Amino acid sequence: QVQLVESGGGLVQPGDSLRLSCAASGRAFTTNTMGWFRQAPGKEREFVAAITWTGSSPNYADSVKGRFTISRDNAKTMVYLQMNSLKPGDTAVYHCASRSKWSSWPISAPGGYDYWGQGTQVTVSS
């Protein structure tokens, strides 16, 4: 079992930065792949980024590549999403998610993740 709690969302202007944090508990955290997804009103949940338990070769959606950075600290059982050059299109509820390293689902597929946080709202508006 893994419990996830996100924080760090807020209202920012275009071009600003935010860092989201995800506090995880549960013994499986250190071996799980961790992901960030987002969901805007009226839209489906969308993959943002993911990182394996080793922290190597993170994956990003094309829409955030070069602007967002995912990282993790296994000792602190934390996952982060550094978001730079934010755009209005980044407005959404951002969810942290966890899945087994043995999952055969594509890393970007929400269905492959077993545990989800409640989410944190990010609003980018002038």
Side-chain angles (χ1 to χ4, degrees), residues 6-13 16-21 36-41 68 81 83 86-95 119-125:
E6 304 94 335
S7 62
L11 172 63
V12 297
Q13 294 187 338
D16 284 353
S17 298
L18 272 179
R19 187 174 86 150
L20 304 184
S21 299
W36 284 98
F37 290 78
R38 65 188 183 188
Q39 189 164 18
F68 291 11
L81 185 68
M83 306 187 294
L86 283 162
K87 305 175 182 180
D90 296 318
T91 295
V93 175
Y94 284 70
H95 297 270
T120 185
Q121 175 71 46
V122 172
T123 303
V124 185
S125 175

Side-chain angles (χ1 to χ4, degrees), residues 79-102:
V79 182
Y80 305 100
L81 185 68
Q82 178 66 43
M83 306 187 294
N84 298 330
S85 303
L86 283 162
K87 305 175 182 180
D90 296 318
T91 295
V93 175
Y94 284 70
H95 297 270
C96 178
S98 173
R99 72 176 214 174
S100 167
K101 66 177 181 177
W102 305 115

